[in-house]
Amino acid sequence: MASCPQNSILYNGTRCACQVGRFLNVAANSCITYAGNSAIKTDSGIDYYAISIPKNILSFDSIKKFTQSQAVFLEATLVMLLSWLVFCFFLRFMKLGDGRNVWFKIRWWISRLDVCFATRHWLDDQKLVVKRKTELGGTFSIASWILFTGLFAALLYQLIAKRTIEVHNVKATNAPDLASFRNDVEFNMTAVSSMSCSNLRSPTTLLSGSSGFLEDKFLPISDILNVSCHNTSLGPTITLKCSNCRLNQDFMSISWQFVDLPNNPASAVGFQFNVTAKDHIRRDHVSFVSGTLMNGSNFDNSPVTFRGTDTNILIFNLFPRIYRSAKNLRLIQPLFHEFVPGSSLRDTSQLRASLENANDGLINTTLYVNYLSSYIIETENQNIIGAVGFLADLGGLYCISMGIFFYLLVQCEFRIKRLRNEDSILRRIRNRRKAQEHWDKVRKYVMYTWNCSALDVDNHSKTEPGRGCFQLPSGPGNGSVRGGGSSWKRKQLRETELSFHKQVSSEKALKHKTGGSAKAETKHCIGSKDAVAIQHQAFALDDDIIPPPPTLELKSGSEIELSDIQKNFQRLYDYNVMLREKFVATQSLLRDLAAKSPSPTTERQT
């Protein structure tokens, strides 16, 4: 007993055999239980997704691995939609400020995204419909597109997963139809056991016949099949190959035996099979059926050992199929029909008695094949969603997505009045900021060109009364201009200076002739490319009182216009002209007095 493998029994005093339901594992020198799966697997050999979608571009199986159903797309859409609405809701609690903070910029750009409801906002009676972009409209526009995108993804998933149905048509066959089926069929039968191919007695004949005939035919097996055997880790495997087979008979039966050898009894714990069929020319598609048979009709899954004179019968069906969607591929489909167990042993005493009985030293196995050639099954894939149906579904999803949020938009603007004109608030803040930026640019330009430091106002465009400047370019009696400027500016300033001197000379002559002050109306142009002329009344030249500087009139808010700025510059310019005339008149008077009064040297001589 010491020389026997583990989990074995002793019979005939000196010989060893594995226990019931176990077979010898040579590598471990132990009798083990077969742990294979007894499920039957069947495949038609046609992969419809591989036909229409290249694997290197898109693998639908990998998509289904992560997305088991449409619920995944719908859940992701719901999460994104709620996140967007919550973000926009909390964003409304942030202060807008003066339009320079990040919250105003985010809310402004959300309002710019109002692409779906720009002309659908609340309007009073008899108001003209105009395009208005509001923050609420931008929120609901993006929300509608998120919902539409999620529903569209779910529609595409449904289109890919269930775009076709497999239609089976059964028709009666005739001789030409059966003759067109040329398949290579292969049967692989493995006896799960401790035996080897040495225990096999190969079959030499097969039984073939047709229903309706009284006599069956025994044919040499070599005329139809090629028989071979090879050893595997599970036991001997018998291979029966039929090349370019034709379904011209109704059934075929083949039998073989395993017999006892010294120290290697004929016993098995199960049978493993794999039957394949493929077209003789187009060999890229293979239909098969495979599985393992362990305890026959015993439903308690208790282990058994097959041994004895009763035959174990494995019954298979073969029927022809035509795949119209695969270029009329003709393929024989194998199916497992039934397993009829033969002699089997369920306890140790029965096994020891069978091992000691020479008449039980064999395993009979029969392969029975039915040719279901009376009918042919035609398989065709038909699209259940066409182009028109897809467009209809797409249009329906778009209408649903837009309709839901349009209804919410109308209800919000109807019940909350402050939402009806919220676009004007954002535009007013933005326009005020833009106007302030433009005014700062103009002020810096004037300060750089005419050295007007008095225009240094605050960010709210508030100007103190009585402050302003307009310095003339360099010339006789004037200071230098800060900054060179362009040649066009210098030329324009020289022309202004010449006209100014001519005007002063003519006014002096007129004053001497009339003997008093005079009022004159002149036209002056200031740094405008279009040379805008502004009619104004010159300041009166009073010898006693110098009037105060003119007040700059600037409108508050974002309604400052270029014409107001030009008028203020013109008033400053007129005031400077008046001061220069006063200065020239005073300078002339001082020179006259200095010329008429005697010098100190003349008085001493006198």
Side-chain angles (χ1 to χ4, degrees), residues 385-452:
I385 301 179
V388 178
F390 174 75
L391 293 178
D393 294 340
L394 190 62
L397 295 180
Y398 179 81
C399 293
I400 292 174
S401 303
M402 298 302 165
I404 291 174
F405 290 99
F406 177 65
Y407 174 78
L408 295 177
L409 176 69
V410 172
Q411 292 298 319
C412 290
E413 292 184 348
F414 174 74
R415 301 178 184 276
I416 306 176
K417 294 183 178 180
R418 62 178 296 181
L419 297 178
R420 299 178 183 178
N421 300 310
E422 65 174 356
D423 58 322
S424 60
I425 299 175
L426 296 176
R427 284 190 286 106
R428 188 181 301 115
I429 295 176
R430 187 174 184 272
N431 292 341
R432 185 184 297 115
R433 179 174 58 84
K434 289 293 183 182
Q436 182 64 40
E437 293 176 355
H438 293 165
W439 168 246
D440 293 340
K441 291 180 181 179
V442 173
R443 179 172 54 84
K444 292 178 182 179
Y445 171 76
V446 173
M447 291 175 59
Y448 175 78
T449 307
W450 289 285
N451 193 20
C452 296

Side-chain angles (χ1 to χ4, degrees), residues 181-201:
F181 282 85
R182 302 292 183 88
N183 279 197
D184 296 338
V185 184
E186 182 175 334
F187 299 88
N188 293 289
M189 303 295 168
T190 301
V192 182
S193 64
S194 305
M195 300 184 297
S196 64
C197 291
S198 301
N199 298 84
L200 176 65
R201 296 297 179 262

Side-chain angles (χ1 to χ4, degrees), residues 297-447:
S297 59
N298 184 22
F299 295 100
D300 58 2
N301 292 325
S302 60
V304 297
T305 297
F306 296 98
R307 175 182 170 86
T309 56
D310 294 340
T311 303
N312 301 284
I313 304 175
L314 289 81
I315 304 175
F316 293 88
N317 293 329
L318 301 180
F319 65 92
R321 300 183 68 174
I322 299 177
Y323 296 92
R324 298 297 184 187
S325 301
K327 300 180 181 180
N328 294 327
L329 175 66
R330 287 171 166 78
L331 204 61
I332 297 176
Q333 177 65 55
L335 291 177
F336 175 74
H337 180 68
E338 186 182 4
F339 172 58
V340 180
S343 301
S344 59
L345 309 173
R346 302 183 182 277
D347 53 42
T348 304
S349 60
Q350 292 179 352
L351 177 60
R352 180 178 289 108
S354 177
L355 292 173
E356 293 176 351
N357 186 3
N359 294 329
D360 291 340
L362 73 162
I363 301 176
N364 290 322
T365 308
T366 298
L367 173 65
Y368 189 86
V369 181
N370 282 323
Y371 291 137
L372 305 180
S373 56
S374 299
Y375 297 93
I376 294 179
I377 298 178
E378 293 183 343
T379 304
E380 184 177 5
N381 294 331
Q382 295 182 358
N383 294 326
I384 60 176
I385 301 179
V388 178
F390 174 75
L391 293 178
D393 294 340
L394 190 62
L397 295 180
Y398 179 81
C399 293
I400 292 174
S401 303
M402 298 302 165
I404 291 174
F405 290 99
F406 177 65
Y407 174 78
L408 295 177
L409 176 69
V410 172
Q411 292 298 319
C412 290
E413 292 184 348
F414 174 74
R415 301 178 184 276
I416 306 176
K417 294 183 178 180
R418 62 178 296 181
L419 297 178
R420 299 178 183 178
N421 300 310
E422 65 174 356
D423 58 322
S424 60
I425 299 175
L426 296 176
R427 284 190 286 106
R428 188 181 301 115
I429 295 176
R430 187 174 184 272
N431 292 341
R432 185 184 297 115
R433 179 174 58 84
K434 289 293 183 182
Q436 182 64 40
E437 293 176 355
H438 293 165
W439 168 246
D440 293 340
K441 291 180 181 179
V442 173
R443 179 172 54 84
K444 292 178 182 179
Y445 171 76
V446 173
M447 291 175 59

